[in-house]
Amino acid sequence: MTTLQSSLRNYSPAMLRAIAETNGIELASNQASQMIEQLAALLRDADHVRASLAACTPAAQQALAGLLREEGRSPRPAFERSHGVIRPAGPARLERERPHLTPANPTEELWYRGLLHPTMVETANGLMEFLCVPPELASLLPSPPPAERVFPPAPLPAAPGAVSLFGVLGNDQPERFSEQ
């Protein structure tokens, strides 16, 4: 899986500035290598990661917990279907429109906080893009609560005296109907 440092190296300076601004820091340099070092140090700080997670909406926190339950990665199309699509934004659009200040959904919120990064994974069907939490960040995040069981739903208890198509519930034998 990709590391935080290698993920940050793939971003434009505009994206690095957007992550920094979302995290409430001012970068000391405009040189990409120094920006990456400063951001990586900030994002690896356990106190900062906890504060950043606490500042997220409940929906973003749930999305991140779900991702951590999946060993920190999910196919990008599946994650975006569940939690929202990251709107495409090149460097000029990032600087002009500043979408990081008003994320449209939980996926964008995690993306611009620097908690979610893209990576390519070799699968049985070839290369596929995944969204992941780099291992350095995942180790700083609290363990997610167990997932609620959604499907299949737990059976509902029968009400006392409830009648089924075959008679009173609890009767193992269907009622016999005779034709008259």
Side-chain angles (χ1 to χ4, degrees), residues 111-162:
W111 179 264
Y112 288 119
R113 286 201 167 276
L115 297 172
L116 188 63
H117 299 271
T119 189
M120 297 303 286
V121 175
E122 182 70 40
T123 68
N125 297 324
L127 276 178
M128 186 172 189
E129 187 174 17
F130 277 64
L131 291 175
C132 72
V133 178
E136 308 96 313
L137 297 181
S139 67
L140 300 175
L141 293 165
S143 296
E148 292 182 26
R149 187 175 172 188
V150 178
F151 188 85
L156 296 174

Side-chain angles (χ1 to χ4, degrees), residues 6-120:
S6 65
S7 292
L8 294 174
R9 272 191 229 113
N10 292 325
Y11 293 143
S12 69
M15 180 63 177
L16 296 173
R17 282 191 286 279
I19 293 171
E21 187 173 7
T22 304
N23 282 286
I25 65 162
E26 192 169 320
L27 294 170
S29 173
N30 278 328
Q31 288 186 336
S33 61
Q34 292 177 355
M35 294 166 77
I36 290 166
E37 290 297 324
Q38 188 177 355
L39 270 177
L42 171 77
L43 293 174
R44 284 189 195 118
D45 179 73
D47 291 333
H48 174 78
V49 170
R50 282 191 292 274
S52 186
L53 183 59
C56 287
T57 62
Q61 291 176 7
Q62 289 174 352
L64 186 62
L67 191 62
L68 292 172
R69 279 191 291 274
E70 294 180 41
E71 298 180 13
R73 71 180 192 180
S74 174
R76 185 172 181 158
F79 192 84
E80 288 186 332
R81 268 192 308 276
S82 298
H83 305 290
V85 175
I86 299 167
R87 297 172 287 178
R93 185 172 179 200
L94 277 172
E95 291 178 355
R96 183 179 61 250
E97 296 178 20
R98 302 173 65 164
H100 57 283
L101 299 179
T102 53
N105 53 57
T107 306
E108 279 193 1
E109 193 174 342
L110 297 170
W111 179 264
Y112 288 119
R113 286 201 167 276
L115 297 172
L116 188 63
H117 299 271
T119 189
M120 297 303 286

